[in-house]
Amino acid sequence: MGVYLAQFLSGLASASALFLAASGLSIIFGVTRVVNFAHGSFYMLGAYFGYSLVRNLGGGALGFWVALLIASIAVGLVGLLVEVIILRRLYKAPELFQLIATFGVILVIQDVVFWYWGAENLLGPRAPGLSGIVRIFDVPMPVYDLALIAIGPLVLLGLWLLFNRTRWGVLVRAATEDREMVGALGVNQSLLFTGVFVLGSALAGLGGAIQLPKGDANLLMDFGILAEVFVVTVVGGMGSIFGAFLAAVLISELNTFGILVWPNGTLVLMFILMAVILIVRPTGLLGRPETIGQKTETGPVEVVLPAGPHYKIFVAVVIALLALLPLLVDDFILVLVTDILVLALFATSLHFLMSTGGLVSFGHAAFYGGGAYAAALLVTYAATPFELALLLAPFGAGLLALVIGWFCVRLSGVYFAMLTLAFAQVAWSVVFQWSDVTNGDDGLLGIWPAAWASGTATYYYVAFVVAAAGIFLIRRVVFAPFGYGLRATRDSSLRAAAIGIDIKRQQLAAFVFAGVMAGLAGGLFAFSKGSVFPDEMSIPRSFDALLMVLLGGIESLSGPVVGAAAFTWLHDELITFEYWRLLLGVVIVALVLLFPQGLGGAARHHVGRYLKLEASPGDLRSATPKREQRA
Amino acid sequence: MSFAEARTAGSPALSVSGLSKAFGGVQAVKDVDFQVAEGELLALIGPNGAGKSTCFNMLNGQIRPDRGSVKLSGEELVGRSPAQIWRRGVGRTFQITATFPSMTVAENVAMVLMSQARELFSFTRSAVNRHRAKALQLLDMVGMAGQADRPCGVLAYGDLKRVELAVALGNEPRVLLMDEPTAGMAPRERVELMGLAARLAHELDVAVLFTEHDMDIVFSHADRIIVLSRGELIAEGDAEQIRSDPLVLKTYLGEGQVYGQDKKPKD
Ligand SMILES: Nc1ncnc2c1ncn2[C@@H]1O[C@H](COP(=O)(O)OP(=O)(O)OP(=O)(O)O)[C@@H](O)[C@H]1O
Ligand SMILES: [Mg+2]
C-alpha cells in the first residue's frame, strides 16, 4: 500500500514541471494562436539558468528559491526578445511560417546553451533544507517531491486568480475567446500579446528550473519536453489550463506506475493513453471543439496545373545531366548529389502531404528513419539481401505511418502538427532506448549495398533511378484521381464530404503513401551511408524536410527538389562552423521574416512566369486567397 | 409527364419528422415535420436565424440532430455521414458556397464525377481532363460552360452558386437541397436558375428543397411552401395560402423584415 502511495506522490511531483510548461504553451496559444515550438527550449533554458543561478546564489534555502525565480524571469525576458523581434511580425503570416520561425529559435537556443554550458549533462543541485527524506508509510520519499507537489496546484491557483481576479487576466481571457472584440475595446493588443508570451515563457522556464533537484539540465530536454507538452495539451484539451493540469498528472502517474509494471514500456503506455483519449474525446479531456486552428494556413491557394511544355523540356535536360553526371564530376560530388537525390525524394513526400493534402506534419522523419531502420534491421537480423531490404524498407515505414496516421488524421491543423511531432518523438525514443535491438545511440553499422551496387557511381545510379521514379510517382499521384480527391479535402472539407469523399480515409491513405515514399528515401540513405543512427528519426530531421519544402516554395511541385539541393548546399556551407545550428537558426528566422511566402515562391513568381514553367492557357489566373467557409 | 401529374404522382422522397437541434441554449430547430415528394419544388422560408440552414445541415448529415428522423424513401439517414448520405442520392449546395478554389470550374464538377465513379483511390490514372465532357454538359445546364477553365477561386458569387449547383447535380441526385441558390445573382439570372430547378423537379422527378429570401422567386416558382420561424414550422401551403396566412405576415412584418414586399416596387 505504502509503495503505491509513494509512487503516486512521486508521479504528482513530476507532474508539476510538465504542467507548468504545458500551461505556458496553452496560454500563449489561446491568445496569439501561435503554437510555440520553442517552448521546450524555454524549459531547457530555465533548467540551465537555474543551474547556474543556484550555484552563484549559494547554499541557503532563500537563495535557492530566489535563483529559480530569477531563472524563470530570465526565460520570460528571452521570450520577450523572441516575441518582439520575431513573432510580432508573423502574427498575420501563414501559420506554417510561425512554426518554422520558432523552430529557428530552437536551433539558436540549442547552440547558445551548448556554447555556454557545454555538452555535459549538468546534475541538478539539491534544494537546501529540502534534500532529506521523509517516510510515508515506511517508504522513503524525497522532501523536495512534496514541495513539487505543492507547486503545481499553487501555480494553478495563481493562474486562476490571475485570469479571474485581475483586469489584465480578464482581458487575456476575453482575447482568448474573441480577439476582434478586445481590439474593439481599445486595448493595446500588441502589448497584451507580448505580456502573454512573456508569462508563458516564464512558466516554461520555471518548469525547467524546479525539476532540477530531481533531474538535470541537458541538451536533449528541449525536444523531450516539447513532445510531452504536446501530448499533455492534446490530452488535456487545447486552451484549458485545468485540462493541462489533469493531463500532466495523468501522464506522470502513468509514467511512474508504468515503470513498475513494464519498465521499458512507458512510452508505449503514453501512446496508448493518448490513443484512447483521442478516440473517446477527440477534443481532449476538457477541450472544447475548436473552430480556429483547424487548418494550417500555408499560404494563398493557387490553381494546380500539370506541367507545361517548357517545364517538360527543362526536366528532360536536368535528367539527362544527372544521367551523365558520373562522366563529368568526381566521386566527392557524386556522393553529394546522391545525398541530394535521397533528400529530394524525402522532401517531395512531405511536400505532397503538405501541399496537396494540407497536412503539415512535423514528424515526417519518423518514416524516413523508419525506412532506414527497417532496412538496417532486416540486414542485421535477417541477413536480407540489399535489393529485398531496399524494397521492404518503404513497407516498414508505411506500416508505421498507418499506425501513427490512424490517430493523427483524427485531428487537423496545428493539433495534427503537434500530434505528428509527439509521435515522431515517441518513435525516436523507442529506437534510442531499445538498445538491445537498435543499438541505441551507437546505431546499426555495416548496412552496405550488394557488391554490384557498391561503387560510388553505381550506387549513384541506383539512388538516381529510385529517387527519380519515386518523385515521378508522387507527381503522378498528385494528378491522379486520388490526388485530386485529397486536394478536395484540403480546399473545402465541407464540399468534399458533401460529394461523398471520406475525408479521413483519403487523408490516412495520403499519410501512408507519403510515409512509404519517405521510407524509400530512408532505405536509400541507409545503404548509401552504410549505417543508421537515431538521428534520422529525430525532430530536427523532420524540420530539415520542412525546411527543404519551404526553401523550394510550398506552392511549386518541383520546389522540394530545388529545396533539397539548396538545403544540402546550405548545410555543407554551415557545417564547417562549430556553431552551425546557430547560423542555420538565424538563417531560418531571417528567411521567414524576409520572405514570409517562401523563398522558392518568391523566385518562382518572377523567374517561373518568364520561363513559362507551368501551363497557362488563356485566362487562367491564380486564385485569390480564400479561407475555408463553414456553415 | 405534365407538371400537375408529376406533382400529384410523386411519392415522398424525403420524410422529416420531429427534427430538433439546439446549440447551447438556442433551440435552432424544434420538432419540424415535413415531406418532399418526387418531382416537387418545395420552398423552405423564414426570417434570418429561423433555422433553415440548420435543417439542411441535418438533412445531409453534417449536423447530427438531437432528435427526430430523416427518411429517404423509407431509409433512415440520421446517424449517417454526409458522404454516405450523398451516395444515397442527396445533393446539396451551401448558403456560403463551398467549392475547391485550387481547381478550375470544370475540375470542380469532374471531382464529383470521379467520386461518383469511385475512382478516388486510383493512384496512377490521370485525373487531368477526366470526365470533362460530362462536366461541361452539367456546366452547360447551369450556364457556366463558358467559364469552365477558370479557377473557381476567382468567380463572382452568383457564378459560384451555379457551379455548386452543377456539382450537386453531378451524381443525379434524387433529392436536391439548395440553400439560397440565387443569392448574388441579377433578377434575370434568378429566374433562369429557378426555371432550371423547376425543370429538374418536374421533368426529372427530383425532389427539390430550397431556401430563398426573395419572395417573388418563392411565390412564382415553388410548388409548395413551408415557413419556419424560430425553429418551428408555422405554416404550409401554396403561394396564395402563404401570402395570406396571418401568422406568416406577423412573423415577417412583426420582426421588421419585409421580404418580398420591399422588392415589389422595384420590379
Ligand atoms: N454552429 C452553430 N453554433 C451555434 N449556433 C448556431 C450554429 N449554427 C446556427 N446557429 C444558430 O441557430 C439559429 C439558426 O441558424 P440558421 O443558420 O439555421 O438560420 P437560417 O434560417 O439559415 O438563417 P439565414 O436566413 O440567416 O441563413 C441561429 O440562431 C444561429 O445563430
Ligand atoms: Mg441559412
Side-chain angles (χ1 to χ4, degrees):
Chain A
M1 179 64 222
V3 184
Y4 293 119
L5 182 68
Q7 206 68 18
F8 176 75
L9 292 177
S10 153
L12 277 187
S14 43
S16 281
L18 187 54
F19 161 65
L20 291 190
S23 64
L25 185 88
S26 219
I27 293 169
I28 292 176
F29 176 80
V31 176
T32 65
R33 294 287 157 196
V34 172
V35 176
N36 177 25
F37 274 56
H39 211 67
S41 306
F42 290 162
Y43 180 88
M44 177 171 81
L45 268 185
Y48 277 98
F49 282 163
Y51 174 85
S52 290
L53 284 162
V54 168
R55 302 195 79 184
N56 287 323
L57 293 180
L62 184 67
F64 174 82
W65 292 105
V66 168
L68 297 198
L69 212 61
I70 298 180
S72 161
I73 292 169
V75 174
L77 292 179
V78 174
L80 178 77
L81 281 180
V82 169
E83 203 273 346
V84 170
I85 298 176
I86 303 169
L87 284 174
R88 179 175 287 190
R89 293 160 218 276
L90 292 175
Y91 287 132
K92 292 209 167 63
E95 228 164 45
L96 180 62
F97 294 87
Q98 302 166 349
L99 303 183
I100 297 292
T102 55
F103 180 68
V105 175
I106 294 180
L107 292 178
V108 171
I109 292 180
Q110 259 180 3
D111 254 8
V112 169
V113 169
F114 172 61
W115 165 72
Y116 190 80
W117 283 278
E120 293 294 309
N121 289 6
L122 305 178
L123 201 63
R126 298 270 144 175
L130 298 175
S131 56
I133 299 278
V134 285
R135 295 201 160 261
I136 293 175
F137 290 108
D138 259 5
V139 180
M141 173 103 199
V143 178
Y144 189 71
D145 273 15
L146 298 180
L148 281 180
I149 292 173
I151 289 176
L154 275 180
V155 170
L156 182 62
L157 180 71
L159 288 175
W160 187 85
L161 288 175
L162 179 68
F163 289 133
N164 289 285
R165 290 284 181 272
T166 68
R167 188 185 125 77
W168 187 81
V170 170
L171 276 177
V172 168
R173 264 198 324 153
T176 307
E177 248 125 67
D178 187 348
R179 270 209 271 176
E180 276 68 35
M181 191 194 76
V182 175
L185 285 179
V187 174
N188 185 336
Q189 206 172 342
S190 96
L191 211 61
L192 191 72
F193 278 31
T194 310
V196 162
F197 201 86
V198 171
L199 173 66
S201 312
L203 280 170
L206 189 60
I210 61 164
Q211 61 83 44
L212 271 175
K214 275 195 93 170
D216 60 1
N218 67 68
L219 281 168
L220 289 178
M221 64 200 295
D222 50 355
F223 287 124
I225 192 75
L226 186 64
E228 278 197 56
V229 162
F230 282 0
V231 172
V232 165
T233 319
V234 169
V235 168
M238 189 66 126
S240 163
I241 293 173
F242 278 100
F245 183 73
L246 222 59
V249 169
L250 202 61
I251 283 164
S252 303
E253 292 298 347
L254 189 78
N255 274 329
T256 39
F257 280 101
I259 285 185
L260 291 183
V261 257
W262 187 11
N264 292 321
T266 50
L267 281 167
V268 180
L269 287 179
M270 191 155 102
F271 188 94
I272 294 172
L273 171 79
M274 189 155 73
V276 169
I277 287 184
L278 276 177
I279 292 166
V280 182
R281 277 190 70 92
T283 52
L285 290 174
L286 296 182
R288 281 174 301 177
E290 279 275 350
T291 44
I292 319 162
Q294 284 289 333
K295 238 177 120 183
T296 305
E297 298 277 333
T298 55
V301 175
E302 289 201 34
V303 169
V304 179
L305 300 169
H310 290 75
Y311 184 78
K312 284 186 176 150
I313 296 170
F314 177 73
V315 170
V317 170
V318 171
I319 297 237
L321 269 177
L322 285 173
L324 295 176
L325 201 66
L327 306 176
L328 305 173
V329 299
D330 58 17
D331 277 7
F332 177 78
I333 304 276
L334 270 191
V335 169
L336 197 71
V337 179
T338 307
D339 288 351
I340 292 178
L341 289 169
V342 169
L343 288 178
L345 177 57
F346 178 30
T348 306
S349 70
L350 176 64
H351 178 267
F352 169 75
L353 210 52
M354 287 170 67
S355 83
T356 305
L359 298 165
V360 179
S361 167
F362 278 80
H364 204 50
F367 313 117
Y368 178 71
Y373 267 98
L377 290 170
L378 281 168
V379 169
T380 310
Y381 293 101
T384 314
F386 157 68
E387 299 84 353
L388 189 62
L390 188 58
L391 195 73
L392 290 178
F395 288 96
L399 220 58
L400 187 61
L402 185 65
V403 175
I404 294 182
W406 195 77
F407 297 111
C408 292
V409 299
R410 288 160 186 273
L411 301 184
S412 37
V414 286
Y415 304 95
F416 176 86
M418 288 165 56
L419 207 55
T420 49
L421 185 143
F423 274 122
Q425 178 72 10
V426 170
W428 173 83
S429 307
V430 168
V431 168
F432 190 77
Q433 288 172 9
W434 200 12
S435 36
D436 290 348
V437 174
T438 62
N439 235 4
D441 208 17
D442 296 328
L444 291 168
L445 310 177
I447 317 299
W448 295 110
W452 66 266
S454 58
T456 305
T458 321
Y459 196 77
Y460 165 80
Y461 277 119
V462 171
F464 169 51
V465 169
V466 173
I471 291 170
F472 275 106
L473 177 64
I474 293 172
R475 205 185 156 88
R476 176 115 200 135
V477 170
V478 170
F479 291 104
F482 176 76
Y484 266 65
L486 182 65
R487 188 140 53 86
T489 68
R490 177 204 74 179
D491 273 8
S492 167
S493 55
L494 216 52
R495 172 47 72 193
I499 60 167
I501 301 178
D502 185 334
I503 295 174
K504 295 298 164 207
R505 205 157 59 125
Q506 206 82 15
Q507 289 179 335
L508 179 58
F511 197 81
V512 172
F513 175 65
V516 165
M517 287 296 134
L520 186 60
L524 279 178
F525 172 83
F527 286 108
S528 80
K529 300 295 174 212
S531 56
V532 186
F533 299 96
D535 277 0
E536 301 318 318
M537 292 189 109
S538 64
I539 307 292
R541 189 68 76 248
S542 293
F543 274 94
D544 287 350
L546 277 168
L547 204 58
M548 290 177 231
V549 170
L550 239 56
L551 280 171
I554 182 143
E555 68 272 50
S556 156
L557 287 180
S558 47
V561 178
V562 179
F567 174 83
T568 307
W569 172 79
L570 191 67
H571 197 265
D572 273 30
E573 290 293 308
L574 292 180
I575 200 96
T576 53
F577 297 95
E578 192 178 358
Y579 298 105
W580 63 272
R581 280 194 197 85
L582 187 134
L583 285 175
L584 185 61
V586 171
V587 169
I588 291 174
V589 170
L591 282 179
V592 172
L593 288 182
L594 293 177
F595 305 102
Q597 297 307 327
L599 191 62
R604 197 185 65 110
H605 206 71
H606 301 293
V607 184
R609 183 162 293 170
Y610 177 70
L611 289 176
K612 287 205 172 46
L613 288 186
E614 275 173 5
S616 60
D619 63 346
L620 272 183
R621 267 165 282 153
S622 80
T624 46
K626 192 166 180 294
R627 283 178 161 262
E628 173 145 358
Q629 315 277 15
R630 290 181 177 278
Chain B
M1 187 187 281
S2 80
F3 287 4
E5 258 173 11
R7 248 167 286 167
T8 48
S11 51
L14 202 66
S15 308
V16 177
S17 61
L19 205 61
S20 304
K21 179 76 194 177
F23 294 109
V26 183
Q27 188 70 42
V29 174
K30 191 174 170 207
D31 284 326
V32 165
D33 303 291
F34 66 86
Q35 299 188 330
V36 200
E38 290 171 5
E40 183 183 35
L41 192 57
L42 176 66
L44 172 62
I45 65 170
N48 288 99
K52 305 181 294 292
S53 298
T54 306
C55 272
F56 272 45
N57 290 342
M58 288 190 281
L59 297 186
N60 89 311
Q62 202 178 299
I63 292 181
R64 203 193 159 98
D66 297 336
R67 270 176 289 120
S69 124
V70 178
K71 289 208 163 93
L72 177 70
S73 310
E75 189 195 4
E76 183 61 57
L77 294 185
V78 169
R80 298 200 182 280
S81 72
Q84 290 170 331
I85 291 176
W86 174 84
R87 284 248 175 251
R88 284 167 172 72
V90 179
R92 78 165 291 182
T93 69
F94 292 92
Q95 178 169 356
I96 301 165
T97 54
T99 53
F100 307 127
S102 78
M103 298 180 198
T104 66
V105 170
E107 285 174 337
N108 264 268
V109 182
M111 197 66 246
V112 71
L113 300 173
M114 286 188 254
S115 175
Q116 167 78 346
R118 296 185 183 271
E119 295 170 337
L120 291 180
F121 280 82
S122 162
F123 278 69
T124 47
R125 279 183 278 184
S126 170
V128 178
N129 288 335
R130 197 170 196 82
H131 303 301
R132 187 173 167 87
K134 176 86 190 288
L136 289 180
Q137 206 183 323
L138 284 164
L139 284 170
D140 197 43
M141 282 177 75
V142 298
M144 283 296 293
Q147 304 193 61
D149 288 318
R150 296 189 73 199
C152 227
V154 304
L155 295 186
Y157 194 64
D159 289 345
L160 276 177
K161 285 263 163 195
R162 273 195 277 244
V163 174
E164 267 214 312
L165 180 54
V167 168
L169 292 176
N171 67 334
E172 294 170 11
R174 288 190 281 161
V175 175
L176 178 63
L177 311 172
M178 301 193 293
D179 204 345
E180 302 194 13
T182 69
M185 291 183 189
R188 239 197 62 203
E189 295 176 316
R190 291 174 180 229
V191 172
E192 275 173 27
L193 191 111
M194 287 316 295
L196 171 66
R199 283 201 306 284
L200 288 169
H202 303 150
E203 290 168 21
L204 299 175
D205 256 2
V206 180
V208 181
L209 174 66
F210 73 103
T211 72
E212 182 58 67
H213 280 307
D214 184 335
M215 287 303 138
D216 292 335
I217 290 285
V218 172
F219 290 142
S220 57
H221 287 88
D223 298 328
R224 194 159 60 92
I225 300 164
I226 51 180
V227 186
L228 204 58
S229 170
R230 297 169 189 263
E232 291 183 79
L233 278 189
I234 55 164
E236 188 216 316
D238 62 18
E240 209 46 57
Q241 290 164 319
I242 295 297
R243 237 195 288 257
S244 54
D245 188 300
L247 204 52
V248 175
L249 283 176
K250 184 162 159 276
T251 301
Y252 277 99
L253 296 171
E255 297 186 0
Q257 287 163 326
V258 196
Y259 296 105
Q261 276 88 338
D262 64 346
K263 283 260 163 64
K264 267 189 182 127
K266 279 185 246 157
D267 286 1

